[in-house]
Structures are given as C-alpha cells and as structure tokens.
Amino acid sequence: MSVNNRRKDQPGQSLGVLWVALSAGALIALLWGSVSLGHRIEGTSAGVPSDPFELIIGLFTGRVEWPSTATWLVVLFVVALGLLVGAYALTARSGRKHRTRVDGAARYLGTGRDIEALGEKAAKATAQRLGVVDATGVPIGNHLLTAKPLFGSWEDMHIDIWGPRTGKTTSRAVPAILAAPGACLVTSNKRDIVDATRGVRAPLGPVWVFDPQGIANEPTNWYWDPLSYVTDEVRAAKLAEHFASGSREPGAKGDAYFDPAGQDLLAGLLLAAALDGRPITDVYAWLTRPTEAAPVGILEDHGFTLMADQVAGVVNAPDKQRGGIYGTAQQMANCLTNRTIVKWITREPNETRAAFDPQVFVRGMGTLYSLSKEGKGTAGPLVTALTVAVVEAAEELATRSAGGRLARPLLGVLDEAANVCRWRTLPDLYSHYGSRGIILMTILQSWSQGVDVWGESGMTKLWSAANVAVYGGGVKEDKFLETLSRLVGDHDRVRTTVSTSAGTRSVSQSVQRERTLDIEQLSAMPKGRAIVLSSGSRATLIRTMPWMRGSQAEAVRESIMTYDPQGSRTIEDGARELTENEEALSSAAAWERQRGPGE
C-alpha cells in the first residue's frame, strides 16, 4: 500500500539557500521598518528614501541618519519575537509530550475520500436506504486527524481484537449497544456491560438477563427451555454441537471416534426429550443409564427411525464401546448437573415465570444479556445455544420480511465470544447475516483465542468476512501483528544524500519504502488509539470514544448507579481513567502543526 510521501526530506543545498534568503529578507525588512517608522515618530522623515534597498545603502554610506527611536523599535521587536518563539516552543513541547508514539503514522493512513465509506454521511445514507430511523450506524471512533466520527453501516459485520484492559467495553461494546435501533443481543463474562446499558435500553423494550452462573446476581424470574429450539434432527445436532464445543477446553483436540459418536448420541437424546415434552435434565439422566431404551421408542413413535437406529446402535454396542460414547456425551452435558443452571432452563411445577421466546424477542426492541464464566462447569453451551436460537429466529423473520432483511436491524455484541459463545459455524455464516439485517460484532482478546475455537482457517475466514475490523492494542502475537502490519501498509520516504568528490558537490535522492506501523508499535498501541480496517477503504488510525464522552453519558451513569452495587466507585474509576487518557493523549491535529524535522 503506497501513499504520497509527506515526511520532511533530509536537509540539502536548496534548503540552506532558502534559509539564507529568508533571513536576509527579514533583516532588511526589520531595518527598513525601524528606520522609516523612527523618522516618522521623530518628525524627520523628509528625504528618507521609501525604497528599502536605497535606505539600507544610505545607512551604511551615512546619507541616512539612524534615529534613536529606531533602536527602541528594534528592541521591542526582538522582545516580541522572543515571546512568540517561547510560547511556540512551550506549545510544541506540550504537544510532543502528550502525543502518542503511533500518532505520526496517521498522516500516512486513510483519510478523506480514502475512508469515505465509514463517514457519517455514508452511514446515514445507508440507514435511510434501509429505512432505519434515528440510528446512523454502529459507532467505531473518531478519525485521529480530522476528529470526524466513523461508523459501520447497518449492513456491516464487525470483528474486534482488543487485549485485556484496553477499553473494549467502554469504547466499543457499550457505544454499540446504545446505538442499537432494534432488538439487541449481548454476551459477556462480566456484569459491567449489563449495569452500564440496561437502564438505557429498558425504556425501549423488555430486558432479559440470562445469568445461570450468578455473575450479575440476577433473580431467576424467567426461564428458557433449550429444547424449545429443537424441532427436528438438524436443530438437535446443532444444540449437541454447542454442548460439545462449550464443554471442551480451548485448543483441546477431541478423540476422533468417541467425540463425534458422543455428540451424535447427545443429539438423538435431545431430540427424543424435545419430542416427548420432557425437561432437558432427562437427557442427562438417560446418559447415566446406557441401557435405557425409552429414547429409542420415542424417536420411533415420532417417525425419526434413523435417529432411533443410531441411538439403539450405541445402546446395544459392546460394553466398553458403549461406555466410552456415553461417558463422552456425559462430559458434554455436564453443565446440566448444576442445580442453579437448571433453574434457568427448566419449567417448575405450577410455573408462573415468563418463558423467553426468541421468535417474539426479535420482533421487538428488547435486550438480551447472556452471561457465563469460562472453565469447568461453564454455562457457555447454553449461552451459545440461546444466542443461536435468537439469531436464527431473526433470520427466519428476515426471510419473511420485505427485501429479505429485518426492518429494524438486530445487533449482536458477542463480547468474550471465544470464552462464553463458542459458535463453531459462525465464520461460515458471517457474511450472510449482514444482508439479513443481523449485525454481529465478535470481540476477542487475541487472534489465538479465535483459533482455539474455529481453527486457523475458520478464524481467517471470520476475519475476512467482517466488513469492519478493529484492533485496539494489547496483543503480543508476532504472527498476527506482522499480518496486521502488512495490511496497514508501507509509505514512501525520500532520502536526500549530499556528497563531495574532487571539489564537486552533488545531491542525489532515493525513494525508500518503510513500514507505517511495525510489530513493536502495534503491540504497544496506547490506550485511546485503534486501527480500523474496512472493506474498500484504507487502514486508518482512530481515537477511541468511550461512552463517557458520548451524548448518553448521563443516562449510562444513572444505569450504573441503579444496577451496579458499587456504582459510585465504578463511575469514579471511569472518570479517573478518562482523565488519565486525556492527559496522556493530545490532539493529533495540534501535533501535526508542531512536529519538527525528522519526526
């Protein structure tokens, strides 16, 4: 990626001549102005030449007298010039002190028409074309040099990679949720994202917090039955896959025989329980009784003979083989043994709680937060299953809607996706959802996190399918950073060489390619800066915009004070963090005016 060179060339002969000419001109102007004005003040201007060169010659030949007032004028000018230079030096020093080590790259990256598709005007035009009212797009941040806001449109899919403690929640996830024009789906492993946004979203529609592991201490005043999603063998297989993926340790390789066989068995039992109207806990009970024939009979009675044969084949297999398959399936469904989790996914006798219905949810403007911890006993499989159920319900609604897309886009912010929402087929579906009005933002802490879930090819596919990719720093993976550095691109730098040989001076110039941001700079990306890559646009550097600087900041603070048990402390910490960032980061535009040669 080549850009016009905008760095200052190394000093050469022409630059020296220019400085001499400017200095001589300034001295002549100072002498002429001081003498002329001095004579006028003293009333002796008669006979003083108006031509500056004639006046200067007259001073040296004695034909023009130097007035005493001119001395004071020269002194006054020198003092004023000194004050101006001093003020400029202080301002420049301040600008250099506060600018970050990557800001210099901004002038070699996308700006103006290069990133026109990310501009507010383009986002509004897309929203208007799609019939989305009062929602420009998904906020990304402000362009560093122009301070103009950048947006993803309501057709763009997002992928974000931000290391720990880099501000992804405050600067990316929360602003996106606040901008959602319709139903909003959020996953996370922390409660902060819930506390900050639920109060703002509540006036728009119902708020559902799926909290089976007590992360937000949410009362169990509603439930969702995962088996309500299972209507046939295809969906049963999908649900079983979520259990398998969510229960496996990141990066772990399963057994080539027992893992697929256990997943198939689990799918058959899930389908049998759904067909017979049983609670999902019966599935685990069946897994503890390998010779139980009831699931086979249920499947046969409902016409799923091949699935029945599959389950029967395992039931009638040799003891060692059967034990291995059932044991593997048990591990996949292990979260069903947690009584707290079970309360969120089963009906109680004489049930009075509301049942969550994805089909109803996607038609409104409600908000669903799904929370889970990673590790043994995680509810991640259920978070993934609920997420998929909602997205597929939205896809079904889009298929029946005008133009094959949702009238009001559904926004899904999949924070900590690799930990709590291991949706294995997500890379294959990513590019498709944007055209349906289903806008997803997958947020990871590193490239390797994605590889653990989707493999290298799957992660590459997900990255390539996203229309907007944002890197917020904090990653120390050489391979990923080298790839990102190449995507950011190179720029041309002109080097001037002056040489002398046999009394002859020659000046030569050469153009060299330089990496705009290298691995070290990307790894040490300061908080408050991010790289944005988008389809059809050049890479650009942005200033992140945390919710504290947004138009709904006060509403977010009220939400935190209402729902966060330590609301005051959270707000104080956020304010302190923002102040520290503001002190550490300067206006890049000011720095552009102040940077010196060689920077």
Side-chain angles (χ1 to χ4, degrees):
M1 184 181 298
S2 176
V3 300
N4 293 331
N5 175 55
R6 293 174 57 189
R7 289 195 179 183
K8 290 180 171 60
D9 297 344
Q10 293 184 357
Q13 185 178 21
S14 59
L15 187 59
V17 172
L18 177 62
W19 276 111
V20 170
L22 290 175
S23 299
L27 179 60
I28 291 172
L30 174 61
L31 292 176
W32 174 73
S34 299
V35 172
S36 298
L37 185 57
H39 276 293
R40 289 186 181 182
I41 293 174
E42 296 180 3
T44 57
S45 59
V48 176
S50 59
D51 183 272
F53 292 100
E54 185 179 350
L55 186 146
I56 298 301
I57 294 172
L59 282 175
F60 284 100
T61 59
R63 289 189 293 106
V64 177
E65 183 180 354
W66 176 272
S68 59
T69 307
T71 302
W72 292 106
L73 291 174
V74 171
V75 171
L76 181 62
F77 175 81
V78 171
V79 171
L81 180 62
L83 291 174
L84 288 174
V85 171
Y88 177 83
L90 288 175
T91 305
R93 181 180 179 184
S94 175
R96 292 190 181 97
K97 178 181 178 181
H98 294 305
R99 67 177 171 85
T100 78
R101 53 190 165 275
V102 300
D103 286 358
R107 61 186 184 272
Y108 303 115
L109 300 178
T111 188
R113 297 188 65 179
D114 295 332
I115 54 172
E116 192 173 32
L118 294 175
E120 186 173 11
K121 181 179 179 181
K124 284 183 175 179
T126 301
Q128 184 177 10
R129 173 171 58 83
L130 299 176
V132 182
V133 181
D134 298 330
T136 301
V138 180
I140 300 173
N142 285 8
H143 186 259
L144 186 60
L145 297 183
T146 65
K148 292 182 178 179
L150 303 182
F151 297 87
S153 77
W154 295 118
E155 293 179 310
D156 292 337
M157 305 293 283
H158 301 246
I159 184 167
D160 283 51
I161 296 181
W162 301 59
R165 306 296 301 168
T166 51
K168 62 181 175 64
T169 300
T170 57
S171 298
R172 195 75 167 107
V174 170
I177 295 168
L178 299 179
C184 186
L185 166 68
V186 183
T187 68
S188 186
N189 60 0
K190 297 185 294 293
R191 66 174 297 162
D192 55 352
I193 198 170
V194 182
D195 296 333
T197 58
R198 67 185 297 179
V200 185
R201 291 286 303 176
L204 304 177
V207 172
W208 307 79
V209 182
F210 186 63
D211 188 24
Q213 292 183 271
I215 294 174
N217 294 321
E218 190 74 12
T220 318
N221 52 18
W222 62 278
Y223 74 98
W224 173 67
D225 182 4
L227 294 181
S228 64
Y229 167 79
V230 179
T231 56
D232 54 29
E233 61 269 48
V234 175
R235 288 196 164 187
K238 288 182 180 180
L239 183 56
E241 183 179 55
H242 302 327
F243 277 101
S245 179
S247 61
R248 188 178 297 124
E249 289 296 322
K253 293 183 178 180
D255 185 271
Y257 172 75
F258 285 108
D259 274 46
Q263 187 172 319
D264 289 342
L265 172 63
L266 181 58
L269 300 184
L270 288 169
L271 179 58
L275 293 172
D276 205 38
R278 293 171 177 253
I280 196 171
T281 48
D282 279 13
V283 173
Y284 193 86
W286 285 337
L287 288 172
T288 63
R289 299 192 291 270
T291 58
E292 175 66 62
V296 177
I298 294 171
L299 292 170
E300 288 177 340
D301 291 344
H302 288 81
F304 292 91
T305 55
L306 292 179
M307 288 286 284
D309 290 342
Q310 183 184 67
V311 175
V314 179
V315 172
N316 298 320
D319 290 348
K320 186 175 182 180
Q321 180 182 356
R322 181 179 61 223
I325 296 174
Y326 267 82
T328 300
Q330 269 188 275
Q331 291 300 314
M332 293 177 180
N334 185 59
C335 66
L336 298 180
T337 62
N338 187 314
R339 291 177 299 170
T340 303
I341 292 177
V342 167
K343 290 180 180 179
W344 285 90
I345 55 175
T346 55
R347 288 174 52 89
E348 296 177 350
N350 303 317
E351 182 63 80
T352 59
R353 296 176 300 164
F356 180 81
D357 186 346
Q359 300 288 343
V360 175
F361 174 78
V362 297
R363 294 176 180 274
M365 296 184 64
T367 310
L368 170 64
Y369 301 93
S370 294
L371 306 178
S372 174
K373 300 175 184 176
E374 55 271 32
K376 193 172 182 63
T378 176
L382 299 171
V383 169
T384 305
L386 181 53
T387 300
V388 173
V390 169
V391 172
E392 289 190 359
E395 185 179 11
E396 292 173 4
L397 177 60
T399 302
R400 300 191 299 269
S401 301
R405 60 178 299 116
L406 297 176
R408 284 194 303 265
L410 177 142
L411 176 66
V413 178
L414 308 183
D415 188 19
E416 298 290 347
N419 289 325
V420 301
C421 187
R422 298 176 189 169
W423 186 353
R424 293 296 300 274
T425 58
L426 183 62
D428 298 322
L429 303 169
Y430 222 55
S431 60
H432 165 71
Y433 283 141
S435 63
R436 296 292 192 180
I438 302 169
I439 309 304
L440 300 182
M441 177 189 294
T442 302
I443 304 177
L444 306 171
Q445 290 190 14
S446 66
W447 178 272
S448 59
Q449 267 197 341
V451 173
D452 285 343
V453 178
W454 300 293
E456 189 68 44
S457 62
M459 182 60 197
T460 301
K461 183 184 294 185
L462 184 66
W463 176 267
S464 299
N467 306 97
V468 177
V470 180
Y471 170 68
V475 175
K476 303 177 182 65
E477 299 175 346
D478 290 354
K479 185 177 179 181
F480 165 68
L481 294 177
E482 175 60 28
T483 300
L484 182 61
S485 179
R486 290 199 302 268
L487 290 174
V488 169
D490 303 331
H491 64 271
D492 294 337
R493 179 172 182 175
V494 177
R495 291 187 178 274
T496 302
T497 304
V498 180
S499 60
T500 303
S501 177
T504 303
R505 189 183 189 193
S506 62
V507 179
S508 61
Q509 291 184 329
S510 62
V511 178
Q512 295 183 351
R513 301 281 285 172
E514 290 187 357
R515 189 61 57 89
T516 301
L517 286 172
D518 59 26
I519 292 178
E520 184 276 332
Q521 290 171 309
L522 291 171
S523 177
M525 178 83 69
K527 200 170 183 179
R529 299 290 185 261
I531 292 291
V532 178
L533 305 170
S534 64
S535 302
S537 300
R538 292 178 55 201
T540 192
L541 185 63
I542 66 167
R543 180 180 185 179
T544 60
M545 297 300 291
W547 63 260
M548 294 84 88
R549 295 178 58 85
S551 60
Q552 300 188 71
E554 189 56 39
V556 174
R557 292 189 185 95
E558 291 180 5
S559 180
I560 292 173
M561 290 298 296
T562 301
Y563 297 103
D564 187 343
Q566 297 181 327
S568 297
R569 180 177 177 180
T570 299
I571 291 175
E572 290 174 2
D573 289 345
R576 182 170 59 254
E577 179 182 342
L578 181 62
T579 300
E580 291 173 354
N581 287 347
E582 291 297 327
E583 290 176 350
L585 302 176
S586 68
S587 167
W591 174 71
E592 274 288 298
R593 296 191 298 268
Q594 298 158 4
R595 72 184 189 276
E599 291 188 297

